[in-house]
Amino acid sequence: MHPFSPHPSPSGAPRPSTSSRSGSPATARLGGALGILGALVLATVALVGHALDGDDGDFGDPFVTAIALAAALHLAGAGWLLCRRGWWPLVLSAVPSVLVLGGLVAIAVLAFLAGHGTDGLDVLRSLGPWLAISPVAAGLALTPSSRRWVAAGRAVRAGGPPHQVPAA
């Protein structure tokens, strides 16, 4: 057994550690961190939308309210993943970001095809990477190592044996 390995192995060779009792897999940590960052991006989009909608402080625009709610849900989903409760809230809360990013792509392509130049593509290049943070966080939450880690946490809370990683 390798002296620094957290998991003993019958053959004496160290096993790669995807998760341990003391730590989470890198995909879950990175997914949670990007989920928090994605929530901040959505909150910024909502605040800018509220500032630019021209209604003198009224919260009447349903799009701005929906984006603000999506930011709160995305933050809660990231926390849910980092607390080892579930991966699906982060994945579901990434849907608004995907829709906004898809809308930006569609507007940019249609504007370019209509002969309006590359202004829409420039906006997409500047905002697209920021809006892509949430879908990337959702993708990391969907990785097998993150899902196994969450399942092991659920099993421990339920009083059952921890989830066993199948042999490769």
Side-chain angles (χ1 to χ4, degrees):
M1 179 173 89
H2 192 271
F4 299 112
S5 174
H7 303 288
S9 136
S11 65
R15 277 181 26 191
S17 175
T18 57
S19 65
S20 66
R21 288 182 160 242
S22 63
S24 60
T27 56
R29 286 191 308 261
L30 187 58
L34 286 177
I36 293 169
L37 183 60
L40 292 175
V41 168
L42 285 174
T44 302
V45 168
L47 286 174
V48 168
H50 175 65
L52 296 177
D53 68 359
D55 58 3
D56 295 332
D58 293 335
F59 285 97
D61 189 4
F63 177 75
V64 172
T65 305
I67 294 296
L69 180 61
L73 291 175
H74 204 66
L75 184 62
W80 200 256
L81 174 67
L82 291 173
C83 289
R84 221 171 164 178
R85 295 292 211 178
W87 51 269
W88 59 269
L90 183 60
V91 172
L92 288 178
S93 65
V95 171
S97 290
V98 171
L99 293 176
V100 170
L101 185 59
L104 268 179
V105 169
I107 289 170
V109 169
L110 291 174
F112 181 74
L113 292 176
H116 294 289
T118 61
D119 290 341
L121 296 175
D122 292 338
V123 170
L124 180 62
R125 267 196 306 247
S126 64
L127 291 179
W130 290 104
L131 290 172
I133 291 172
S134 295
V136 169
L140 288 169
L142 279 172
T143 60
S145 61
S146 295
R147 291 171 46 189
R148 279 194 299 264
W149 179 67
V150 168
R154 282 186 181 161
V156 168
R157 278 190 310 278
H163 180 73
Q164 296 295 323
V165 178

PDB file of all heavy atoms in Angstrom, residues 102-128:
ATOM      1  N   GLY A 102     -28.591  30.619 -26.253  1.00  0.00           N
ATOM      2  CA  GLY A 102     -29.149  30.213 -27.545  1.00  0.00           C
ATOM      3  C   GLY A 102     -29.841  31.364 -28.254  1.00  0.00           C
ATOM      4  O   GLY A 102     -29.740  31.510 -29.477  1.00  0.00           O
ATOM      5  N   GLY A 103     -30.543  32.199 -27.489  1.00  0.00           N
ATOM      6  CA  GLY A 103     -31.177  33.376 -28.078  1.00  0.00           C
ATOM      7  C   GLY A 103     -30.155  34.354 -28.633  1.00  0.00           C
ATOM      8  O   GLY A 103     -30.338  34.918 -29.717  1.00  0.00           O
ATOM      9  N   LEU A 104     -29.059  34.543 -27.914  1.00  0.00           N
ATOM     10  CA  LEU A 104     -27.993  35.412 -28.407  1.00  0.00           C
ATOM     11  C   LEU A 104     -27.383  34.869 -29.693  1.00  0.00           C
ATOM     12  O   LEU A 104     -27.100  35.633 -30.625  1.00  0.00           O
ATOM     13  CB  LEU A 104     -26.891  35.553 -27.356  1.00  0.00           C
ATOM     14  CG  LEU A 104     -26.983  36.708 -26.398  1.00  0.00           C
ATOM     15  CD1 LEU A 104     -25.831  36.671 -25.408  1.00  0.00           C
ATOM     16  CD2 LEU A 104     -26.998  38.023 -27.117  1.00  0.00           C
ATOM     17  N   VAL A 105     -27.165  33.554 -29.735  1.00  0.00           N
ATOM     18  CA  VAL A 105     -26.616  32.945 -30.949  1.00  0.00           C
ATOM     19  C   VAL A 105     -27.578  33.137 -32.114  1.00  0.00           C
ATOM     20  O   VAL A 105     -27.171  33.527 -33.219  1.00  0.00           O
ATOM     21  CB  VAL A 105     -26.315  31.445 -30.718  1.00  0.00           C
ATOM     22  CG1 VAL A 105     -26.006  30.742 -32.018  1.00  0.00           C
ATOM     23  CG2 VAL A 105     -25.166  31.284 -29.743  1.00  0.00           C
ATOM     24  N   ALA A 106     -28.861  32.900 -31.883  1.00  0.00           N
ATOM     25  CA  ALA A 106     -29.844  33.046 -32.950  1.00  0.00           C
ATOM     26  C   ALA A 106     -29.926  34.488 -33.441  1.00  0.00           C
ATOM     27  O   ALA A 106     -29.953  34.737 -34.658  1.00  0.00           O
ATOM     28  CB  ALA A 106     -31.225  32.577 -32.454  1.00  0.00           C
ATOM     29  N   ILE A 107     -29.938  35.443 -32.530  1.00  0.00           N
ATOM     30  CA  ILE A 107     -30.003  36.853 -32.927  1.00  0.00           C
ATOM     31  C   ILE A 107     -28.751  37.253 -33.703  1.00  0.00           C
ATOM     32  O   ILE A 107     -28.833  37.947 -34.720  1.00  0.00           O
ATOM     33  CB  ILE A 107     -30.206  37.748 -31.688  1.00  0.00           C
ATOM     34  CG1 ILE A 107     -31.616  37.558 -31.146  1.00  0.00           C
ATOM     35  CG2 ILE A 107     -29.941  39.211 -32.006  1.00  0.00           C
ATOM     36  CD1 ILE A 107     -31.840  38.207 -29.799  1.00  0.00           C
ATOM     37  N   ALA A 108     -27.589  36.812 -33.238  1.00  0.00           N
ATOM     38  CA  ALA A 108     -26.341  37.169 -33.917  1.00  0.00           C
ATOM     39  C   ALA A 108     -26.289  36.581 -35.322  1.00  0.00           C
ATOM     40  O   ALA A 108     -25.906  37.260 -36.281  1.00  0.00           O
ATOM     41  CB  ALA A 108     -25.144  36.689 -33.100  1.00  0.00           C
ATOM     42  N   VAL A 109     -26.689  35.337 -35.463  1.00  0.00           N
ATOM     43  CA  VAL A 109     -26.652  34.689 -36.781  1.00  0.00           C
ATOM     44  C   VAL A 109     -27.677  35.319 -37.717  1.00  0.00           C
ATOM     45  O   VAL A 109     -27.368  35.609 -38.888  1.00  0.00           O
ATOM     46  CB  VAL A 109     -26.867  33.164 -36.627  1.00  0.00           C
ATOM     47  CG1 VAL A 109     -27.110  32.508 -37.971  1.00  0.00           C
ATOM     48  CG2 VAL A 109     -25.674  32.536 -35.937  1.00  0.00           C
ATOM     49  N   LEU A 110     -28.886  35.536 -37.218  1.00  0.00           N
ATOM     50  CA  LEU A 110     -29.912  36.147 -38.067  1.00  0.00           C
ATOM     51  C   LEU A 110     -29.540  37.570 -38.486  1.00  0.00           C
ATOM     52  O   LEU A 110     -29.778  37.976 -39.625  1.00  0.00           O
ATOM     53  CB  LEU A 110     -31.261  36.124 -37.369  1.00  0.00           C
ATOM     54  CG  LEU A 110     -31.901  34.736 -37.208  1.00  0.00           C
ATOM     55  CD1 LEU A 110     -33.169  34.837 -36.373  1.00  0.00           C
ATOM     56  CD2 LEU A 110     -32.178  34.116 -38.556  1.00  0.00           C
ATOM     57  N   ALA A 111     -28.952  38.330 -37.576  1.00  0.00           N
ATOM     58  CA  ALA A 111     -28.530  39.690 -37.919  1.00  0.00           C
ATOM     59  C   ALA A 111     -27.414  39.668 -38.955  1.00  0.00           C
ATOM     60  O   ALA A 111     -27.397  40.475 -39.884  1.00  0.00           O
ATOM     61  CB  ALA A 111     -28.073  40.430 -36.666  1.00  0.00           C
ATOM     62  N   PHE A 112     -26.507  38.720 -38.810  1.00  0.00           N
ATOM     63  CA  PHE A 112     -25.419  38.621 -39.778  1.00  0.00           C
ATOM     64  C   PHE A 112     -25.951  38.214 -41.153  1.00  0.00           C
ATOM     65  O   PHE A 112     -25.563  38.776 -42.172  1.00  0.00           O
ATOM     66  CB  PHE A 112     -24.373  37.611 -39.288  1.00  0.00           C
ATOM     67  CG  PHE A 112     -23.209  37.460 -40.216  1.00  0.00           C
ATOM     68  CD1 PHE A 112     -22.248  38.455 -40.306  1.00  0.00           C
ATOM     69  CD2 PHE A 112     -23.085  36.331 -41.015  1.00  0.00           C
ATOM     70  CE1 PHE A 112     -21.169  38.322 -41.166  1.00  0.00           C
ATOM     71  CE2 PHE A 112     -22.018  36.190 -41.880  1.00  0.00           C
ATOM     72  CZ  PHE A 112     -21.048  37.188 -41.950  1.00  0.00           C
ATOM     73  N   LEU A 113     -26.863  37.257 -41.168  1.00  0.00           N
ATOM     74  CA  LEU A 113     -27.431  36.809 -42.438  1.00  0.00           C
ATOM     75  C   LEU A 113     -28.306  37.873 -43.087  1.00  0.00           C
ATOM     76  O   LEU A 113     -28.449  37.911 -44.307  1.00  0.00           O
ATOM     77  CB  LEU A 113     -28.237  35.526 -42.234  1.00  0.00           C
ATOM     78  CG  LEU A 113     -27.415  34.286 -41.864  1.00  0.00           C
ATOM     79  CD1 LEU A 113     -28.333  33.109 -41.586  1.00  0.00           C
ATOM     80  CD2 LEU A 113     -26.404  33.957 -42.941  1.00  0.00           C
ATOM     81  N   ALA A 114     -28.888  38.765 -42.293  1.00  0.00           N
ATOM     82  CA  ALA A 114     -29.717  39.834 -42.831  1.00  0.00           C
ATOM     83  C   ALA A 114     -28.882  41.018 -43.329  1.00  0.00           C
ATOM     84  O   ALA A 114     -29.432  41.981 -43.831  1.00  0.00           O
ATOM     85  CB  ALA A 114     -30.703  40.306 -41.778  1.00  0.00           C
ATOM     86  N   GLY A 115     -27.568  40.930 -43.155  1.00  0.00           N
ATOM     87  CA  GLY A 115     -26.686  41.969 -43.663  1.00  0.00           C
ATOM     88  C   GLY A 115     -26.433  43.118 -42.709  1.00  0.00           C
ATOM     89  O   GLY A 115     -26.052  44.198 -43.148  1.00  0.00           O
ATOM     90  N   HIS A 116     -26.605  42.898 -41.418  1.00  0.00           N
ATOM     91  CA  HIS A 116     -26.378  43.958 -40.440  1.00  0.00           C
ATOM     92  C   HIS A 116     -24.952  43.993 -39.918  1.00  0.00           C
ATOM     93  O   HIS A 116     -24.673  44.658 -38.919  1.00  0.00           O
ATOM     94  CB  HIS A 116     -27.347  43.822 -39.263  1.00  0.00           C
ATOM     95  CG  HIS A 116     -28.762  44.043 -39.659  1.00  0.00           C
ATOM     96  ND1 HIS A 116     -29.257  45.278 -39.993  1.00  0.00           N
ATOM     97  CD2 HIS A 116     -29.803  43.173 -39.783  1.00  0.00           C
ATOM     98  CE1 HIS A 116     -30.528  45.175 -40.306  1.00  0.00           C
ATOM     99  NE2 HIS A 116     -30.888  43.901 -40.188  1.00  0.00           N
ATOM    100  N   GLY A 117     -24.065  43.272 -40.532  1.00  0.00           N
ATOM    101  CA  GLY A 117     -22.667  43.281 -40.110  1.00  0.00           C
ATOM    102  C   GLY A 117     -22.397  42.296 -38.988  1.00  0.00           C
ATOM    103  O   GLY A 117     -23.182  41.392 -38.719  1.00  0.00           O
ATOM    104  N   THR A 118     -21.282  42.509 -38.328  1.00  0.00           N
ATOM    105  CA  THR A 118     -20.838  41.576 -37.293  1.00  0.00           C
ATOM    106  C   THR A 118     -21.074  42.100 -35.885  1.00  0.00           C
ATOM    107  O   THR A 118     -20.487  41.587 -34.942  1.00  0.00           O
ATOM    108  CB  THR A 118     -19.341  41.267 -37.476  1.00  0.00           C
ATOM    109  OG1 THR A 118     -18.601  42.489 -37.344  1.00  0.00           O
ATOM    110  CG2 THR A 118     -19.063  40.606 -38.805  1.00  0.00           C
ATOM    111  N   ASP A 119     -21.916  43.113 -35.715  1.00  0.00           N
ATOM    112  CA  ASP A 119     -22.161  43.638 -34.371  1.00  0.00           C
ATOM    113  C   ASP A 119     -22.755  42.576 -33.447  1.00  0.00           C
ATOM    114  O   ASP A 119     -22.371  42.463 -32.285  1.00  0.00           O
ATOM    115  CB  ASP A 119     -23.102  44.844 -34.421  1.00  0.00           C
ATOM    116  CG  ASP A 119     -22.437  46.059 -35.041  1.00  0.00           C
ATOM    117  OD1 ASP A 119     -21.196  46.084 -35.091  1.00  0.00           O
ATOM    118  OD2 ASP A 119     -23.171  46.961 -35.477  1.00  0.00           O
ATOM    119  N   GLY A 120     -23.686  41.782 -33.967  1.00  0.00           N
ATOM    120  CA  GLY A 120     -24.280  40.718 -33.163  1.00  0.00           C
ATOM    121  C   GLY A 120     -23.269  39.654 -32.797  1.00  0.00           C
ATOM    122  O   GLY A 120     -23.280  39.116 -31.692  1.00  0.00           O
ATOM    123  N   LEU A 121     -22.351  39.370 -33.717  1.00  0.00           N
ATOM    124  CA  LEU A 121     -21.304  38.386 -33.421  1.00  0.00           C
ATOM    125  C   LEU A 121     -20.328  38.931 -32.387  1.00  0.00           C
ATOM    126  O   LEU A 121     -19.808  38.183 -31.557  1.00  0.00           O
ATOM    127  CB  LEU A 121     -20.573  37.992 -34.703  1.00  0.00           C
ATOM    128  CG  LEU A 121     -21.423  37.276 -35.750  1.00  0.00           C
ATOM    129  CD1 LEU A 121     -20.622  37.051 -37.023  1.00  0.00           C
ATOM    130  CD2 LEU A 121     -21.943  35.968 -35.212  1.00  0.00           C
ATOM    131  N   ASP A 122     -20.071  40.246 -32.423  1.00  0.00           N
ATOM    132  CA  ASP A 122     -19.198  40.848 -31.418  1.00  0.00           C
ATOM    133  C   ASP A 122     -19.823  40.773 -30.025  1.00  0.00           C
ATOM    134  O   ASP A 122     -19.138  40.497 -29.042  1.00  0.00           O
ATOM    135  CB  ASP A 122     -18.899  42.306 -31.778  1.00  0.00           C
ATOM    136  CG  ASP A 122     -18.045  42.427 -33.032  1.00  0.00           C
ATOM    137  OD1 ASP A 122     -17.346  41.444 -33.376  1.00  0.00           O
ATOM    138  OD2 ASP A 122     -18.086  43.502 -33.661  1.00  0.00           O
ATOM    139  N   VAL A 123     -21.122  41.016 -29.952  1.00  0.00           N
ATOM    140  CA  VAL A 123     -21.824  40.890 -28.670  1.00  0.00           C
ATOM    141  C   VAL A 123     -21.780  39.445 -28.186  1.00  0.00           C
ATOM    142  O   VAL A 123     -21.537  39.181 -27.010  1.00  0.00           O
ATOM    143  CB  VAL A 123     -23.284  41.390 -28.795  1.00  0.00           C
ATOM    144  CG1 VAL A 123     -24.092  41.051 -27.555  1.00  0.00           C
ATOM    145  CG2 VAL A 123     -23.316  42.876 -29.059  1.00  0.00           C
ATOM    146  N   LEU A 124     -21.975  38.515 -29.102  1.00  0.00           N
ATOM    147  CA  LEU A 124     -21.925  37.101 -28.738  1.00  0.00           C
ATOM    148  C   LEU A 124     -20.533  36.713 -28.245  1.00  0.00           C
ATOM    149  O   LEU A 124     -20.389  35.984 -27.273  1.00  0.00           O
ATOM    150  CB  LEU A 124     -22.326  36.233 -29.938  1.00  0.00           C
ATOM    151  CG  LEU A 124     -22.317  34.735 -29.707  1.00  0.00           C
ATOM    152  CD1 LEU A 124     -23.319  34.360 -28.631  1.00  0.00           C
ATOM    153  CD2 LEU A 124     -22.626  34.008 -30.994  1.00  0.00           C
ATOM    154  N   ARG A 125     -19.498  37.224 -28.899  1.00  0.00           N
ATOM    155  CA  ARG A 125     -18.126  36.920 -28.469  1.00  0.00           C
ATOM    156  C   ARG A 125     -17.824  37.509 -27.101  1.00  0.00           C
ATOM    157  O   ARG A 125     -17.041  36.944 -26.344  1.00  0.00           O
ATOM    158  CB  ARG A 125     -17.126  37.449 -29.485  1.00  0.00           C
ATOM    159  CG  ARG A 125     -16.734  36.437 -30.502  1.00  0.00           C
ATOM    160  CD  ARG A 125     -15.488  36.878 -31.225  1.00  0.00           C
ATOM    161  NE  ARG A 125     -15.641  38.215 -31.784  1.00  0.00           N
ATOM    162  CZ  ARG A 125     -15.681  38.491 -33.065  1.00  0.00           C
ATOM    163  NH1 ARG A 125     -15.570  37.527 -33.942  1.00  0.00           N
ATOM    164  NH2 ARG A 125     -15.818  39.729 -33.485  1.00  0.00           N
ATOM    165  N   SER A 126     -18.414  38.641 -26.783  1.00  0.00           N
ATOM    166  CA  SER A 126     -18.125  39.250 -25.490  1.00  0.00           C
ATOM    167  C   SER A 126     -18.977  38.668 -24.357  1.00  0.00           C
ATOM    168  O   SER A 126     -18.498  38.512 -23.239  1.00  0.00           O
ATOM    169  CB  SER A 126     -18.295  40.763 -25.559  1.00  0.00           C
ATOM    170  OG  SER A 126     -19.628  41.093 -25.835  1.00  0.00           O
ATOM    171  N   LEU A 127     -20.230  38.342 -24.625  1.00  0.00           N
ATOM    172  CA  LEU A 127     -21.113  37.824 -23.574  1.00  0.00           C
ATOM    173  C   LEU A 127     -21.205  36.301 -23.532  1.00  0.00           C
ATOM    174  O   LEU A 127     -21.499  35.729 -22.488  1.00  0.00           O
ATOM    175  CB  LEU A 127     -22.525  38.388 -23.751  1.00  0.00           C
ATOM    176  CG  LEU A 127     -22.710  39.869 -23.490  1.00  0.00           C
ATOM    177  CD1 LEU A 127     -24.159  40.266 -23.737  1.00  0.00           C
ATOM    178  CD2 LEU A 127     -22.300  40.220 -22.082  1.00  0.00           C
ATOM    179  N   GLY A 128     -20.977  35.662 -24.668  1.00  0.00           N
ATOM    180  CA  GLY A 128     -21.137  34.216 -24.753  1.00  0.00           C
ATOM    181  C   GLY A 128     -20.332  33.420 -23.741  1.00  0.00           C
ATOM    182  O   GLY A 128     -20.874  32.538 -23.069  1.00  0.00           O
TER     183      GLY A 128
END
